[in-house]
């Protein structure tokens, strides 16, 4: 029998911790004998005024989105990167080694008809974002 990492237990080495980790993928094949409940069907509104990404909604920073149709690109209200920040001092301590980084973080919001299925919505979203990025 040939080894198949998707079916046979094995250990993998974690270079960050220097330890071996047990992987047991065959356990996913255990039968489930517990209760299985049908999820409730959720009625998704075409516009949710509480959603800060919807057209015309207020965002947490107080800005109001325009009544856009399609893709709306805006600076992230709480970005992971800022365009202008000071750099940290250099340190000889290997555990406190760091370096500065700067950037701009954008968010993309889009309007998709809720009657479309998820796959079609995703394809339309990707096409709209690609088009928007090319024009930016």
């Amino acid at each position: 029998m040939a080894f198949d990492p998707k079916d046979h237990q094995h250990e993998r080495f974690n270079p960050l911790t220097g330890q071996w980790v047990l992987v047991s993928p065959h356990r996913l094949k255990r039968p489930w004998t517990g209760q299985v409940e049908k999820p409730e069907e959720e009625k998704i509104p075409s516009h949710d005024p509480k959603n800060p990404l919807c057209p015309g909604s207020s965002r947490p920073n107080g800005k109001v989105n325009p009544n856009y149709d399609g893709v709306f690109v805006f600076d992230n209200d709480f970005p992971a990167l800022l365009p202008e920040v000071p750099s940290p001092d250099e340190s000889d301590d290997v555990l406190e080694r760091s370096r500065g980084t700067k950037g701009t973080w954008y968010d993309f919001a889009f309007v998709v008809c809720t009657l479309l299925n998820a796959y079609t919505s995703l394809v339309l979203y990707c096409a709209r974002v690609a088009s928007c990025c090319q024009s930016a």
Side-chain angles (χ1 to χ4, degrees):
M1 169 178 4
F3 173 75
D4 184 347
K6 294 179 185 174
D7 282 330
H8 303 117
Q9 76 268 4
H10 56 284
E11 291 184 325
R12 292 186 186 168
F13 185 71
N14 182 338
L16 298 176
T17 64
Q19 296 178 325
W20 289 91
V21 179
L22 177 64
V23 179
S24 300
H26 60 283
R27 291 179 49 85
L28 294 174
K29 296 177 182 179
R30 291 180 295 179
W32 172 252
T33 58
Q35 184 174 346
V36 178
E37 299 192 23
K38 182 179 176 186
E40 291 183 31
E41 291 193 22
E42 184 179 354
K43 298 203 181 210
I44 301 172
S46 60
H47 180 269
D48 181 0
K50 294 179 184 174
N51 181 338
L53 299 178
C54 278
S57 294
S58 294
R59 299 201 311 266
N61 65 355
K63 293 182 181 176
V64 177
N65 295 335
N67 287 317
Y68 64 91
D69 180 30
V71 177
F72 170 49
V73 181
F74 57 98
D75 288 348
N76 186 299
D77 296 335
F78 305 97
L81 294 173
L82 298 170
E84 295 300 323
V85 293
S87 293
D89 294 331
E90 287 190 27
S91 173
D92 292 332
D93 186 340
V94 69
L95 296 177
E96 293 188 19
R97 203 169 120 191
S98 64
R99 63 183 180 190
T101 185
K102 299 175 185 180
T104 303
W105 205 270
Y106 296 104
D107 276 340
F108 294 82
F110 64 100
V111 177
V112 175
C113 176
T114 57
L115 300 176
L116 296 174
N117 67 38
Y119 175 75
T120 304
S121 298
L122 179 62
V123 170
L124 288 174
Y125 166 71
C126 291
R128 288 177 178 168
V129 168
S131 172
C132 187
C133 289
Q134 289 172 356
S135 63

